[in-house]
Amino acid sequence: LEASIWADQTERFARLRGALDVALRVPASLDQESADAWLPRQLAAARPGVASVVFHSIVQEYFSDETRNAVFACLAEAGGRATPEAPLFWLRLEPVSIVDVRYAVTLTSWPSGEQRIVAWSGPHGSEARRGER
């Protein structure tokens, strides 16, 4: 991971090291599988009393068109089954403009299907530049 950070980006190195320190202390399971195969199983059945949250950060541009379409279709289908007792939230940090490099944290919540931008960000978890939206 460190090899993907430019040497002069000391703040990014510090954030990565902090995240790796947390990863050493907090156990987590890891599933190694394509999103279009993994996600439908995770959202197959609603669980009353549980809010399901799907989060991703800067991955859509790396998906093939087929994978991206399958993931979006899965979320739409699961959202259509969401209820107030078993809501679904899709939270993502993705570019909203490749031309001027803007990133938004967007939330879609079901059962309403409401979508809204809840925050702006610069790339790599940094703050958005002043006036950037």
Side-chain angles (χ1 to χ4, degrees):
L1 289 174
E2 287 181 344
S4 67
I5 299 175
W6 296 334
D8 66 336
Q9 296 181 335
T10 56
E11 289 181 18
R12 284 184 65 200
F13 273 112
R15 280 194 303 274
L16 175 59
R17 288 188 183 117
L20 293 172
D21 287 344
V22 170
L24 288 172
R25 294 189 314 270
V26 178
S29 62
L30 176 65
D31 296 332
Q32 191 170 347
E33 190 171 11
S34 177
D36 58 333
W38 181 85
L39 191 59
R41 285 196 313 280
Q42 306 309 309
L43 299 178
R47 296 183 294 176
V50 174
S52 297
V53 178
V54 175
F55 172 78
H56 57 81
S57 173
I58 316 213
V59 298
Q60 289 177 187
E61 64 194 73
Y62 300 105
F63 287 158
S64 67
D65 289 342
E66 181 180 315
T67 298
R68 186 179 313 102
N69 292 339
V71 167
F72 291 178
C74 173
L75 285 159
E77 191 274 328
R81 290 185 282 108
T83 66
E85 296 76 30
L88 173 62
F89 299 94
W90 178 23
L91 186 64
R92 63 239 183 238
L93 170 63
E94 295 290 346
V96 293
S97 172
I98 295 173
V99 174
D100 58 359
V101 193
R102 293 187 301 161
Y103 297 80
V105 179
T106 305
L107 174 66
T108 305
S109 54
W110 288 279
S112 71
E114 176 190 2
Q115 178 173 296
R116 61 190 173 107
I117 294 174
V118 296
W120 293 95
S121 175
H124 315 298
S126 58
E127 290 185 25
R129 292 186 298 268
R130 181 176 289 248
E132 186 176 65
R133 289 166 54 104

